[in-house]
Amino acid sequence: MNAIPVAKLTFKELLKEKAFLGLLLFEVFLLFVSKLISNVVAGDTVKVAMDFALAFFFFTVALFSIFASVGSTFRDISDKVVYLILSKPLRRRDYVLGKFLGVAGAVALFTFFSFFVVTAGILTISSLSNLYVPHVIVVERVFLVSILTCMMGIFLSAFGLLFAVLFTSQILALLSVLFLFFAGLELSPVKELVTSSKYVSPINKVIVQLAYYLFPNFSLFDIKDYAVHLSLTVSPLYFLLVSVYFLIYTSAVLVVSTLLFERREL
Amino acid sequence: MLKVESISKKFKEKLVIKEVTFEILEGEIFGFIGPNGAGKTTTIKIIMDFVKPDSGRVLIFGRPNTDISVRRKLGFLPERPYIYGSITGKEYLDFCADVFGVPYYERRKLFSRLLELVDLTGVEEQLISSYSKGMVQRLLFASTLINDPDLLILDEPMSGLDPVGRNIIASVMKDLKEKGKTVFYSSHIIQDVERLSDRVAVIVDGEIKLLDSVANIVQNFLKGYQVTARKVGSSNLEVFRAEPDELWPLLERLKTEGYEIISVEPERLSLEEILVSYIQRKRRAG
Ligand SMILES: Nc1ncnc2c1ncn2[C@@H]1O[C@H](COP(=O)(O)OP(=O)(O)OP(=O)(O)O)[C@@H](O)[C@H]1O
Ligand SMILES: [Mg+2]
């Protein structure tokens, strides 16, 4: 496994990047924001605060994944670290896979730390209110949310890597991944809108349907409602299917990234 | 060792490398010189398979350069090398050791030997961001030796270094040559090339203009001789000049006139003077 040394190097580099600690601190800040919002919005304060806290959590992990994957790969290429790496007996596909695994490791660790930050925040917020909150169940559900959030981050990192080897401009790559992420979150509303509209031809409806299933669907990984509303349940089958989707799609993106990188002049 | 067979490369319709051909023999130090933008780095990138040539091919140890197994015994240092500031020197060396499968129990000794070679003992636990530019370059140079390579390819290993740093690199290169290793390097600093290389190739505008041993080149550009002599019994030294092909007649004449020869010094152009005049001449002609 020649990809492992590259993965280790990438992982070490990312942990010491400012983005890692910076975004964790940002996460703490967002917890205060969630608390403030819950004070001014009507409804169950704890649920509102959790809703925002988990949305921010999802968003921060996405941001970290994008910066880690695009940033790290661009640093390698523009600062010529790739020359050092690829002059060793490593194939370009080892580099792509290693880079992905390293970023995935950093995303997993980031999510893990974030889980503690967010859980601590939510428990603090709930203990400040005088509503009854079953803490054990909440923590367990936030943990499940974290697992899918982590998967989302890793999935997004694969796209980050793809755009980083596809584009020669870092800004363009960052913006494309961000666009992809937000578009991938809003797929179902758009699909609903189009397929229920009288003004869209059946053929276009089919195209939209197809696009819906092919476009990376980041909202699949967003199960915060389940953590917030304890009456909701998610079946284990859902987790399984999302995992399969994640594995197949991520592998496909990595294969495409490798093919592109193998053709790229450095 | 390394064979470059008529490679050409176009960047956006501009022919940057034109039918470049040369071969590097086992155990020699081969200098690759040329002015800015001549195509040195591009040639090296093609050798390393970072860039594909439009035509021609490169063989390393007799195998195509696309075969990654040739890299097991290869060391490479890019131009103005850079590595993440957020890791330590040791973490980078560990990466190299990981790639080459160096077992952990050998690493401490190996790393300290390599660091000593480039006068960096004791900095391995510090973050690379705290190193000076020259230290980074020396660290990365040392790291290219981690697999005990038979062939080293170095793109301007000495530029950006102070005289002490340049000397360190030069003496390591000489040591490697003594051990039978081969070194191919590009440089701007002709004095270094002159005292270090066995052979040089000069590239200008993507073409190899001159390829020969340093001794030959300097010999061919001999300006003449300076003969210092003294009449027998006199204490005054006299200096005579001879054109390259007139040395023997001069010596004969001095002998018959009763002179005692004190010294004969060849008047040579330095490699630098040769190349500058050579390149200017070519430019004017082209
Ligand atoms: N990726 C590229 N796209 C377009 N042109 C390029 C590219 N890389 C190099 N060139 C051009 O090729 C020529 C040779 O460049 P190269 O970097 O090989 O020169 P060099 O001899 O290494 O110069 P220096 O001494 O400045 O390092 C230059 O004219 C340069 O502008
Ligand atoms: Mg160069």
Side-chain angles (χ1 to χ4, degrees), chain B residues 11-12 14 16 34-43 79 156 188:
Chain B
F11 282 123
K12 302 182 194 95
K14 188 176 163 241
V16 171
N36 290 120
K40 301 182 294 292
T41 299
T42 308
T43 305
E79 184 179 37
E156 306 214 10
H188 276 130

Side-chain angles (χ1 to χ4, degrees), chain A residues 2 4-10 12-17 72 75-76 78-92 94-95 99 262-266, chain B residues 9 11 45 48-53 68-69 71-72 74 76-84 86-88 91-92 94-96 98-100 104 107 127 140 143 146:
Chain A
N2 280 330
I4 299 299
V6 180
K8 275 164 73 178
L9 187 70
T10 305
K12 282 182 198 166
E13 188 238 351
L14 282 173
L15 291 200
K16 296 183 194 166
E17 269 300 311
S72 172
R75 274 199 292 282
D76 279 8
S78 64
D79 296 336
K80 304 191 251 182
V81 176
V82 272
Y83 294 152
L84 291 173
I85 296 178
L86 292 176
S87 68
K88 310 247 164 350
L90 294 171
R91 286 171 214 283
R92 294 211 178 174
D94 297 326
Y95 173 79
K99 209 71 205 161
E262 278 172 351
R263 270 154 198 74
R264 180 160 172 176
E265 300 218 313
L266 296 169
Chain B
K9 180 71 189 175
F11 282 123
K45 282 185 186 174
M48 293 304 298
D49 192 33
F50 297 145
V51 168
K52 297 274 179 211
I68 66 153
S69 68
R71 284 149 194 249
R72 300 223 128 258
L74 189 73
F76 171 69
L77 185 70
E79 184 179 37
R80 287 188 296 276
Y82 169 86
I83 186 66
Y84 320 123
S86 61
I87 61 172
T88 65
E91 283 174 321
Y92 180 67
D94 265 325
F95 161 72
C96 301
D98 282 346
V99 173
F100 289 107
Y104 282 94
R107 289 188 187 186
L127 289 183
L140 295 176
S143 76
I146 209 154

Side-chain angles (χ1 to χ4, degrees), chain A residues 34-53 122 125-134 138 227-231:
Chain A
S34 312
K35 172 73 181 124
L36 289 179
I37 295 173
S38 74
N39 287 348
V40 295
V41 172
D44 180 333
T45 43
V46 178
K47 281 194 171 135
V48 173
M50 261 181 88
D51 206 20
F52 277 96
I122 288 174
I125 291 170
S126 80
S127 65
L128 289 178
S129 85
N130 33 27
L131 294 165
Y132 169 72
V133 179
V138 166
V228 175
H229 305 285
L230 298 180
S231 54

